[in-house]
Amino acid sequence: MNNSDATLVLVSTTDLTQLIEAAATRAVGAALSQFTQPTTAKPSEALTFDQVRLRLKLSSPTLRKLLVSGTLHGVRAGKRWLIPMQEIERFLSEPAT
């Protein structure tokens, strides 16, 4: 590649974060689709750690334990967790043990 082929693109931190989260959400949906049954939620729909914590009414340490143990499947996107809606639906439909 010579210097005339190079292109410089400036992207804000916010835009870059949104692009990374969107890519991670798509990757999570694709990866988890092999482990979960189809639901009404689209695979690309995902919630953040705090959104899931509030929706499930869990403490932060409890939700973190569920994610780290694999009981609830999610993916880290930098410092943030993304949890697909279909995974939340799966978790809620399973009987408590």
Side-chain angles (χ1 to χ4, degrees):
M1 180 170 92
N2 62 40
N3 289 339
S4 64
D5 293 336
T7 302
L8 177 63
V9 177
L10 297 177
V11 180
S12 72
T13 305
T14 302
D15 289 342
L16 184 58
T17 300
Q18 290 173 345
L19 289 170
I20 291 169
E21 287 180 0
T25 299
R26 286 190 303 276
V28 168
L32 290 178
S33 66
Q34 63 183 334
F35 299 111
T36 58
Q37 295 179 354
T39 64
T40 57
K42 297 176 189 173
S44 62
E45 294 177 356
L47 299 178
T48 64
F49 183 91
D50 284 333
Q51 289 170 327
V52 173
R53 183 181 58 78
L54 293 171
R55 183 170 288 198
L56 299 181
K57 297 180 178 150
L58 297 172
S59 67
S60 291
T62 299
L63 179 54
R64 194 169 291 106
K65 286 178 190 175
L66 291 171
L67 290 164
V68 171
S69 71
T71 304
L72 183 63
H73 300 283
V75 71
R76 295 278 312 225
K79 294 182 179 183
R80 300 177 69 182
W81 279 99
L82 293 174
I83 302 97
M85 278 299 300
Q86 66 188 98
E87 179 59 18
I88 296 164
E89 291 173 1
R90 181 204 59 82
F91 178 78
L92 291 173
S93 67
E94 288 185 349
T97 56

